[in-house]
């Protein structure tokens, strides 16, 4: 599933037709409740050229959904500083390595057997914030 209505949607839709993958690749457009979709998925992939703080990655972790992301600062920061061990793979920012990491994920290099609580993470952030401003 591809969620969102970004500027490449029409181009990607045409490419899907060209590659004859429209039976397996679905464009869902903008969604208000991404968590329900995530709970049904096996893997979340964020192939980004640049990223701020990846809130969507926290949503993925909250849904016990491992992720593959590219080696850019926002994704890498969430992976290395927040995500539980075994819940992510970081790919070089090229199609071949993203593909390889997706295959690695499918072959068991990540697991849905991790614990991540958005509420606990938020409490920790607030505690750290208040300690720093005192």
């Amino acid at each position: 599933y591809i969620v969102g209505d970004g500027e490449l949607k029409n181009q990607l839709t045409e490419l899907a037709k060209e590659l004859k993958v429209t039976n397996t690749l679905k464009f869902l457009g903008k969604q208000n409740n991404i968590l329900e979709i995530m709970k049904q998925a096996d893997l979340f992939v964020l192939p980004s050229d640049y990223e701020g703080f990846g809130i969507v990655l926290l949503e993925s972790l909250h849904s016990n959904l491992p992720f593959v992301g590219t080696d850019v600062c926002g994704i890498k920061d969430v992976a290395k500083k927040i995500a539980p061990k075994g819940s992510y793979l970081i790919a070089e920012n090229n199609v071949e390595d993203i593909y390889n990491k997706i295959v690695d994920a499918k072959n068991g290099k990540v697991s849905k057997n991790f614990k991540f609580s958005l509420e606990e993470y938020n409490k920790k952030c607030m505690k750290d914030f208040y300690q720093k401003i005192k």
Side-chain angles (χ1 to χ4, degrees):
Y1 296 105
I2 296 181
V3 177
D5 284 325
E7 62 188 47
L8 295 177
K9 183 179 179 184
N10 291 338
Q11 184 179 345
L12 292 173
T13 303
E14 290 304 313
L15 181 59
K17 288 177 188 171
E18 204 175 294
L19 296 173
K20 298 181 177 147
V21 294
T22 55
N23 288 337
T24 55
L25 182 64
K26 303 295 179 201
F27 293 88
L28 301 180
K30 183 179 177 186
Q31 297 290 310
N32 291 327
N33 193 354
I34 189 71
L35 294 178
E36 287 306 313
I37 296 166
M38 286 181 165
K39 288 178 183 177
Q40 298 174 43
D42 295 319
L43 182 69
F44 181 76
V45 180
L46 184 58
S48 185
D49 290 330
Y50 52 89
E51 196 66 38
F53 184 78
I55 299 287
V56 70
L57 296 177
L58 296 182
E59 293 170 330
S60 170
L61 295 170
H62 179 70
S63 300
N64 277 85
L65 183 61
F67 68 86
V68 168
T70 46
D71 191 9
V72 297
C73 68
I75 296 171
K76 190 169 42 178
D77 292 339
V78 169
K80 294 187 177 182
K81 296 177 183 177
I82 300 168
K85 185 177 180 184
S87 65
Y88 66 89
L89 293 172
I90 298 295
E92 293 178 28
N93 204 0
N94 63 65
V95 172
E96 183 178 330
D97 200 44
I98 294 167
Y99 170 81
N100 289 335
K101 293 298 187 279
I102 292 169
V103 170
D104 287 347
K106 183 178 184 244
N107 289 331
K109 300 273 178 147
V110 294
S111 171
K112 290 181 116 177
N113 295 326
F114 61 86
K115 300 256 187 268
F116 179 80
S117 168
L118 207 47
E119 292 80 14
E120 291 302 315
Y121 174 71
N122 191 39
K123 285 179 190 176
K124 179 190 176 307
C125 289
M126 293 305 293
K127 181 180 175 185
D128 291 348
F129 173 76
Y130 284 118
Q131 283 179 342
K132 290 183 193 283
I133 63 170
K134 286 185 179 180

